Amino acid sequence: MKRTDYLSWDQYFMGIALLSAQRSKDDHTQVGACLVNDQNKILSVGYNGMPTGCNDDDMPWERDGEPLDTKYFYVCHAELNAILNYGGGSLDGARVYVTLFPCNECAKAIIQSGMKEVIYMQDKYADDDMTVASKKMFDMAGVTYRQFEPKDQTIELHL
Ligand SMILES: Nc1ccn([C@H]2C[C@H](O)[C@@H](COP(=O)(O)O)O2)c(=O)n1
Ligand SMILES: [Zn+2]
């Protein structure tokens, strides 16, 4: 008999984004992203982390303090990492599953790389200017966005 409780495509790709987020060393916000083409093939994944060669243990992870002593100047966002991790050429028409709504910098990278849809989970910075700017750019550029609709399905991973 055919299984009925299998994952939908959205659950599958958001699940991969959530799992990728678990690689992040950021103790406040872990973000994961999964890029998918129109044939539901995974093109790339990423999570927020320090640039290659910048030792996680030597970099700041603080949110507050002198700007140079916080993570914000250094950390590479999940979406940007996923885009840069893709070695296969064009991302035209692809969609991105991301656990947090893209910031304005990632929104620019998403638009410029030709992606057409953003599926996000959280939007906890919706009132911040950077998110307002992201949505303004997506609207103008014809990039659609929608919130992932959880079906309350639990997956346990014993690792
Ligand atoms: N769409 C996003 C938004 C944020 N990030 C990263 C950047 C930081 O590591 C963290 C946000 O830190 P917070 O200000 O919440 O302490 O999330 C990302 O990768 N993608
Ligand atoms: Zn970003």
Side-chain angles (χ1 to χ4, degrees), residues 21-45:
Q22 290 307 306
R23 280 284 305 152
S24 177
K25 318 297 186 308
D26 190 325
D27 67 347
H28 189 259
T29 303
Q30 302 83 43
V31 186
C34 178
L35 311 187
V36 179
N37 73 8
D38 57 3
Q39 294 174 63
N40 290 319
K41 301 239 165 77
I42 294 172
L43 302 175
S44 183
V45 292

Side-chain angles (χ1 to χ4, degrees), residues 119-155:
I119 302 98
Y120 62 96
M121 193 146 190
Q122 281 192 333
D123 196 8
K124 65 177 178 172
Y125 296 126
D127 296 333
D128 287 12
D129 285 350
M130 63 174 183
T131 309
V132 175
S134 296
K135 289 174 182 168
K136 179 176 178 166
M137 290 188 281
F138 284 151
D139 290 342
M140 293 180 85
V143 175
T144 58
Y145 46 90
R146 61 181 166 90
Q147 190 157 29
F148 174 72
E149 290 174 20
K151 302 280 188 298
D152 215 24
Q153 192 164 350
T154 303
I155 301 176

